[in-house]
Amino acid sequence: MTIKSSKLNQTTYCLEKFLDRLCTIINSGIGDETYGPRNILEGREKTPSLADGFSELDEATFDTLDRLFVRTGISPSEIDILVTTVSLFTPVPSVTSRIINRYKMRENVKSFNLSGMGCSGSVVGIDLVQQLFKSHQNKFAIIVSTECMGQNWYSGKEKSMMLSNILFRSGGCSMILTNNRDFKNKAILKLTQIVRTHHGSSDEAYGSCIETEDELGYKGFYLSRSLSKAAGEALTLNLKTLLPKTLPFWEILRYLISSYFRKKSNSESRINLKTGIDHFCVHPGGKAIVDKVGENLRLSKYDVEPTRMALYRFGNTSSGGLWYVLGYMEAKKRLKKGDKILMISLGAGFKCNNCVWKVMKNLEDQNVWKDCIASYPPNMAVNPFVKMQRMNEEFSG
């Protein structure tokens, strides 16, 4: 009887742990059609090879670059600046060197291999290119934003470190930027503002999302409960600088006057972001982050739909995630000439890097969403994990 009871308790405990983790997946906002690294799908997460890293990297970078060159008609030999934002995979030679070798780019191309920048790396790359454009005229720049998750899959048992396995998925994007006015009529977006904020001086913010090892030596990412708080504080600091440059003067004046009088009555005053922003492209880092940003900025269900759908369909693709959100807006034909898009990126450090784009022409390409956009947004109630969640509730009850 003792042995049977012990086995039963152990089985019950394991089932509880399984269902608990399953509930975490259900509540993450991730759907069941996301893309994972091949070595993970093949059950080789504990022994990733260098070839696995290159395979995952090449699949995203070369596929997007091939299509980018064909679509724009710009050849690799015309590229003056190359920036890659891959945080977790830093081979030698660098990722930029691998791209230069593949496409036989010029010997004087300026290459920048950004690593460790996390989910907001793409906007860091944009800012770098913008700074270079100030001293280099009529140039073409390429930014490749992707990640190699298979090399850093967590194989331990710490729940706070397993969350990264649930959220992060494979994906990426490549884009061409130019300051050559001859291509003004071909551009689809124009960068109007960009502000970078680094909150790393705060120990709590610095440690809210950090690569580390558990007690057994398994490497992974620790995501603390203070992550949402760190994101909120960094976002607030960033918007204090960005919004006065973006919103109309009369809205800033209205807010200041309203704040003055409301301060006397101990009530809260809110600025109306939609007086200068038409669309909100929030990094799909996870349901908790999206909910927090949406709540703080008082965004509507319509405003956060692109982010929620990008998270559901593709997961958190790190620095490439913002472009899946933007792609959803384009596929849904939301982006009209003259519209302004606020792009909000959050990443380890802790960083908040935001920028504002102006739409230069009506956009309606279905892009990466073409195989499913007609069925989006889906009925979240039919999520295949919901039935299992109910099982957990019944089991717990």
Side-chain angles (χ1 to χ4, degrees):
M1 291 294 293
T2 304
I3 295 176
K4 289 183 179 179
S5 176
S6 175
K7 286 184 177 180
L8 179 61
N9 289 338
Q10 184 177 4
T11 302
T12 301
Y13 173 77
C14 291
L15 183 58
E16 286 177 338
K17 293 294 287 184
F18 168 74
L19 292 174
D20 180 53
R21 292 169 183 171
L22 188 60
C23 283
T24 303
I25 296 175
I26 296 169
N27 297 324
S28 68
I30 300 286
D32 62 344
E33 295 184 340
T34 57
Y35 303 109
R38 295 184 186 276
N39 66 299
I40 305 301
L41 299 177
E42 294 172 2
R44 296 183 290 104
E45 64 272 10
K46 292 185 179 181
T47 57
S49 66
L50 189 61
D52 289 325
F54 282 126
S55 174
E56 186 179 356
L57 176 73
D58 294 348
E59 193 166 8
T61 57
F62 295 157
D63 179 65
T64 56
L65 284 171
D66 287 346
R67 288 187 286 116
L68 184 66
F69 289 130
V70 171
R71 182 175 179 178
T72 62
I74 297 172
S75 72
S77 62
E78 295 179 82
I79 303 304
D80 304 286
I81 301 167
L82 174 63
V83 180
T84 59
T85 62
V86 184
S87 292
L88 304 177
F89 188 52
T90 55
V92 178
S94 65
V95 176
T96 51
S97 295
R98 191 172 181 83
I99 294 173
I100 290 170
N101 177 260
R102 162 68 181 262
Y103 294 99
K104 307 305 177 187
M105 294 182 175
R106 302 197 316 265
E107 66 280 356
N108 63 342
V109 60
K110 298 184 182 299
S111 64
F112 300 87
N113 198 82
L114 303 183
S115 64
M117 292 295 166
C119 299
S120 64
S122 193
V123 181
V124 176
I126 292 170
D127 182 56
L128 173 60
V129 169
Q130 184 200 41
Q131 298 301 321
L132 291 170
F133 277 172
K134 291 179 179 179
S135 56
H136 297 80
Q137 300 301 314
N138 301 322
K139 302 298 181 182
F140 287 110
I142 280 184
I143 299 177
V144 180
S145 297
T146 185
E147 197 55 88
C148 286
M149 307 311 305
Q151 298 290 301
N152 289 267
W153 198 260
Y154 178 62
S155 301
K157 299 181 179 180
E158 291 291 334
K159 184 178 179 179
S160 59
M161 296 177 69
M162 292 176 66
L163 186 57
S164 61
N165 291 355
I166 295 173
L167 294 174
F168 288 98
R169 294 293 184 268
S170 297
C173 175
S174 297
M175 69 211 79
I176 286 182
L177 292 85
T178 184
N179 60 350
N180 189 332
R181 293 185 177 275
D182 292 341
F183 288 83
K184 181 179 179 180
N185 294 331
K186 292 185 177 182
I188 62 174
L189 298 172
K190 177 182 179 181
L191 181 67
T192 61
Q193 297 291 341
I194 186 166
V195 173
R196 292 173 56 188
T197 302
H198 206 301
H199 209 212
S201 58
S202 166
D203 292 339
E204 183 180 39
Y206 175 81
S208 63
C209 177
I210 191 168
E211 186 176 17
T212 186
E213 293 182 349
D214 65 14
E215 294 181 352
L216 298 178
Y218 289 108
K219 186 174 68 172
F221 277 90
Y222 169 73
L223 304 178
S224 75
R225 293 182 180 275
S226 63
L227 180 59
S228 295
K229 177 185 175 183
E233 292 176 347
L235 178 59
T236 299
L237 285 174
N238 186 284
L239 293 182
K240 283 182 177 179
T241 302
L242 180 64
L243 293 183
K245 301 177 180 180
T246 304
L247 301 184
F249 174 75
W250 57 263
E251 172 58 21
I252 301 297
L253 182 61
R254 183 206 64 78
Y255 172 73
L256 292 175
I257 295 174
S258 176
S259 297
Y260 174 77
F261 287 105
R262 287 181 179 271
K263 188 175 181 181
K264 289 188 174 183
S265 59
N266 294 323
S267 59
E268 187 179 11
S269 179
R270 289 272 185 167
I271 198 164
N272 184 5
L273 298 180
K274 295 185 179 181
T275 57
I277 302 295
D278 301 290
H279 308 281
F280 299 85
C281 185
V282 183
H283 169 62
K287 185 176 182 297
I289 293 293
V290 177
D291 289 346
K292 189 72 174 179
V293 173
E295 178 185 349
N296 288 348
L297 300 185
R298 290 191 174 183
L299 303 182
S300 67
K301 182 179 179 181
Y302 177 86
D303 293 329
V304 296
E305 178 186 306
T307 299
R308 294 192 191 283
M309 295 304 101
L311 178 63
Y312 181 83
R313 175 62 182 85
F314 296 99
N316 181 349
T317 52
S318 191
S319 63
L322 288 167
W323 305 102
Y324 288 94
V325 180
L326 190 68
Y328 182 88
M329 296 178 187
E330 183 178 8
K332 282 292 186 180
K333 302 180 181 181
R334 292 188 178 188
L335 305 179
K336 306 301 180 182
K337 183 177 180 180
D339 287 356
K340 288 188 177 180
I341 307 164
L342 173 59
M343 187 172 278
I344 299 174
S345 70
L346 301 161
F350 195 88
K351 299 184 290 295
C352 178
N353 302 317
N354 301 340
C355 59
V356 177
W357 299 93
K358 182 179 179 180
V359 181
M360 302 304 290
K361 60 181 66 175
N362 294 344
L363 302 180
E364 51 186 36
D365 183 7
Q366 292 191 336
N367 51 74
V368 73
W369 289 89
K370 62 183 178 181
D371 65 335
C372 61
I373 193 62
S375 61
Y376 272 69
N379 182 0
M380 306 298 280
V382 299
N383 188 306
F385 298 124
V386 169
K387 184 177 179 180
M388 296 184 184
Q389 184 181 29
R390 290 171 182 166
M391 288 173 52
N392 179 41
E393 293 172 351
E394 293 175 1
F395 180 81
S396 300

